[in-house]
Amino acid sequence: MVLRIGVDDTDSLRGMCTTFLATELVRDLTKTWDLIGFPRLVRLNPNIPWKTRGNGAICVRIGHGRGRPHVVGWIDGSEVRAFPHGEGIEDSHTVADRVAALVERWSRFEDPGTNPGFVVLRAAPPEHLYWTGVRSVLTMDEVLRGIGPGALVRPYKNGRGVIGAVAATAWRPHDRTYEILTYRREGAWGTHRLLSRESVIQMDRKFPSTFNNYDYEAGRIVLAPRTPCPVLFGIRGDDSKLLRPAMEMIRGEVPDRWLILETNQGTDDHVVRERPSAPHRTVRFRGQVRSLPWTIRGGHVLFSVDSHTVAAYEPSKGFRGIVRGLVPGDTVEIVGAVRPDWGTVNLEKLRVDSLAPVTRKVGNPVCPQCMRRAKSRGRGAGFRCEICRRHFLNSSAEAIPVPRTLAPGWYEPPAGSRRHLSLPLKRWENGSSPIRRRSQSSG
Ligand code: ATP
């Protein structure tokens, strides 16, 4: 059996990145064994309060390679290759010792929130551990019960990283994307990243199967992190073969190494079709807009859908303009994360299903007998003809339709404020997501 290595929770906000550790694992382990398939970056529940940033764990599969290898990276001046199939390694303890040396070398143990853990498994754990890990909350017991005999489990500190490590090894991709991650030489970590904006825009236009590269609304490069981590930039896309030429178009600081990872980013795997009830979940539901949107301090825009409050936060910028165009009576489909405090749904995507008619009053009703305009009897009290005393309802006022600023369809925040797991609409438009039909026909 091919060995599956899962690792999580090695970094802190002050530095490092679990994907850099993936490059170190690949660098070291491929001196002795072969890489089987792409290394994987598996994002887990984005609503877990104890995550550092993007709740990402890694999974690397190694064995004795079979079939024709393909290039998946460049480290220490040489190409890294992965095999499509492989045969097993008997001695998983030696593998675990090599992994331990790297986890211990690179983890930020000094950070109180960093609790590394890794596993070396002979078989993939049950798939439900991935789905619970990406959509809900897993316990350590559940995870340890799920892994088979012969599994090597190495927790550090409180060992919480083992949860993400197992969930990552349990992923069997239904939908998948790829990310080419480039890294800086160690001396440059923490310094300003110099990348050419024009080259990012050119690359984005030349490779439409890539996504989340550039925020055209804010004029900001999105493919490079703003943290002091070792990543220089990452390009996400549907076609793994196009990522290397896409990377080669980016001008500026030269990457020291790079690696292509298979990921669940941009798949909406975290989304559950249910109405908001439990916190820490990302839900998708349909309903009717019940209030005009209102803006609160900080520029966040809120509105009600049935009995739920939905929020488009300030960083979603122009997306709030879409939300402000809603009126009571519109029907919508909401994708968003349920906040633990007030149960507010933090909007990730919005579909306008149908638009309620909006009219503007232009005059009081005309009495058909006297041919004179009736007089208002006060707010909400209708009208009365002053000559024949006949009553008219409010709805009989003369009104004209007001054109709506919104059209039915899906809307999403700009690239810079999307979640890693959120399926970008571009993937539907390109037809690259296998869940396209299901998602569209459902509404
Ligand atoms: P980065 O993205 O920068 O690598 P991170 O955001 O992945 O960091 P971690 O430091 O890995 O954050 O912390 C996440 C922790 O939460 C890990 O210990 C992981 O095992 C645990 N965890 C992840 N998903 C779940 C889940 N669904 N249920 C319970 N624990 C989880």
Side-chain angles (χ1 to χ4, degrees):
M1 270 290 203
V2 167
L3 291 183
R4 291 170 178 254
I5 302 160
V7 188
D8 197 11
D9 210 342
T10 61
D11 53 0
S12 81
L13 284 175
R14 283 190 293 279
M16 255 299 284
C17 165
T18 305
T19 69
F20 176 78
L21 186 59
T23 70
E24 283 291 286
L25 286 171
V26 166
R27 184 166 84 103
D28 181 66
L29 299 175
T30 54
K31 287 177 189 154
T32 315
W33 303 285
D34 297 318
L35 198 55
I36 314 299
F38 284 94
R40 290 174 167 173
L41 165 60
V42 183
R43 299 283 179 183
L44 298 167
N45 189 349
N47 311 308
I48 286 291
W50 46 87
K51 66 177 185 173
T52 308
R53 279 185 297 259
N55 204 3
I58 54 164
C59 170
V60 174
R61 291 159 295 163
I62 57 163
H64 300 292
R66 299 284 175 265
R68 237 171 90 152
H70 58 285
V71 176
V72 297
W74 172 270
I75 301 175
D76 283 352
S78 317
E79 285 179 337
V80 177
R81 290 166 196 275
F83 289 79
H85 317 285
E87 281 167 19
I89 300 166
E90 283 315 308
D91 184 9
S92 53
H93 287 274
T94 306
V95 174
D97 290 344
R98 296 263 288 268
V99 176
L102 290 168
V103 169
E104 287 161 26
R105 153 111 173 72
W106 290 107
S107 294
R108 304 302 290 253
F109 290 102
E110 74 284 4
D111 191 297
T114 299
N115 295 287
F118 76 85
V119 290
V120 179
L121 307 178
R122 295 203 168 275
E127 196 176 354
H128 72 83
L129 290 177
Y130 165 67
W131 290 110
T132 311
V134 76
R135 294 179 166 179
S136 184
V137 182
L138 279 167
T139 63
M140 186 67 86
D141 275 359
E142 235 175 321
V143 159
L144 296 180
R145 257 187 279 120
I147 51 180
L152 301 180
V153 181
R154 299 272 179 98
Y156 296 86
K157 294 170 70 183
N158 79 14
R160 191 188 270 152
V162 167
I163 297 178
V166 171
T169 55
W171 180 44
R172 291 142 175 93
H174 294 265
D175 185 13
R176 61 166 72 76
T177 63
Y178 299 88
E179 177 162 7
I180 188 164
L181 275 158
T182 68
Y183 296 86
R184 319 179 75 187
R185 61 179 174 79
E186 201 171 340
W189 296 359
T191 64
H192 179 70
R193 294 170 177 87
L194 256 185
L195 294 172
S196 143
R197 175 190 307 269
E198 289 66 38
S199 70
V200 172
I201 295 172
Q202 281 164 8
M203 182 282 290
D204 183 60
R205 298 209 161 123
K206 177 150 187 208
F207 294 99
S209 64
T210 63
F211 56 87
N212 293 0
N213 297 315
Y214 191 74
D215 184 337
Y216 288 91
E217 185 187 323
R220 182 168 82 74
I221 294 174
V222 174
L223 55 69
R226 289 186 284 187
T227 57
C229 74
V231 172
L232 179 58
F233 62 85
I235 304 175
R236 299 169 183 200
D238 276 293
D239 189 342
S240 62
K241 291 190 196 71
L242 296 180
L243 292 179
R244 185 175 182 176
M247 171 192 73
E248 285 165 353
M249 277 187 74
I250 306 299
R251 290 189 305 276
E253 188 178 325
V254 178
D256 182 56
R257 59 174 74 175
W258 55 266
L259 191 64
I260 300 178
L261 295 121
E262 183 178 38
T263 92
N264 61 347
Q265 294 173 151
T267 62
D268 266 358
D269 267 5
H270 63 313
V271 177
V272 192
R273 279 175 191 272
E274 66 182 24
R275 300 189 76 78
S277 54
H280 307 310
R281 284 166 81 81
T282 306
V283 296
R284 178 170 173 173
F285 68 101
R286 293 165 90 169
Q288 195 170 66
V289 176
R290 301 284 183 193
S291 71
L292 279 173
W294 70 96
T295 303
I296 59 167
R297 240 186 38 213
H300 315 305
V301 178
L302 275 61
F303 61 107
S304 307
V305 176
D306 298 338
S307 57
H308 309 287
T309 305
V310 179
Y313 285 96
E314 193 279 335
S316 64
K317 302 289 175 195
F319 184 51
R320 293 169 305 160
I322 303 296
V323 167
R324 285 195 184 103
L326 293 168
V327 302
D330 289 345
T331 53
V332 290
E333 187 163 359
I334 301 292
V335 177
V338 184
R339 286 176 57 111
D341 38 14
W342 305 108
T344 304
V345 179
N346 187 358
L347 196 57
E348 283 184 23
K349 259 198 288 283
L350 163 77
R351 189 167 71 96
V352 178
D353 221 344
S354 69
L355 294 166
V358 176
T359 56
R360 185 164 59 84
K361 183 186 154 200
V362 287
N364 291 357
V366 175
C367 174
Q369 214 172 322
C370 313
M371 297 311 285
R372 296 274 294 273
R373 282 204 190 272
K375 273 251 154 86
S376 170
R377 301 199 65 204
R379 205 178 161 80
F383 305 90
R384 190 164 65 187
C385 173
E386 288 211 299
I387 300 165
C388 68
R389 320 295 288 169
R390 183 168 164 186
H391 284 268
F392 298 92
L393 296 174
N394 274 324
S395 55
S396 47
E398 221 173 273
I400 54 165
V402 176
R404 298 289 307 272
T405 53
L406 281 179
W410 279 101
Y411 296 92
E412 67 185 345
S417 51
R418 288 179 206 149
R419 293 198 122 158
H420 297 297
L421 275 160
S422 281
L423 193 148
L425 299 180
K426 195 177 179 187
R427 292 197 68 226
W428 276 340
E429 284 151 17
N430 290 345
S432 40
S433 160
I435 57 168
R436 179 172 196 245
R437 258 210 334 260
R438 190 178 40 155
S439 308
Q440 289 188 334
S441 64
S442 72

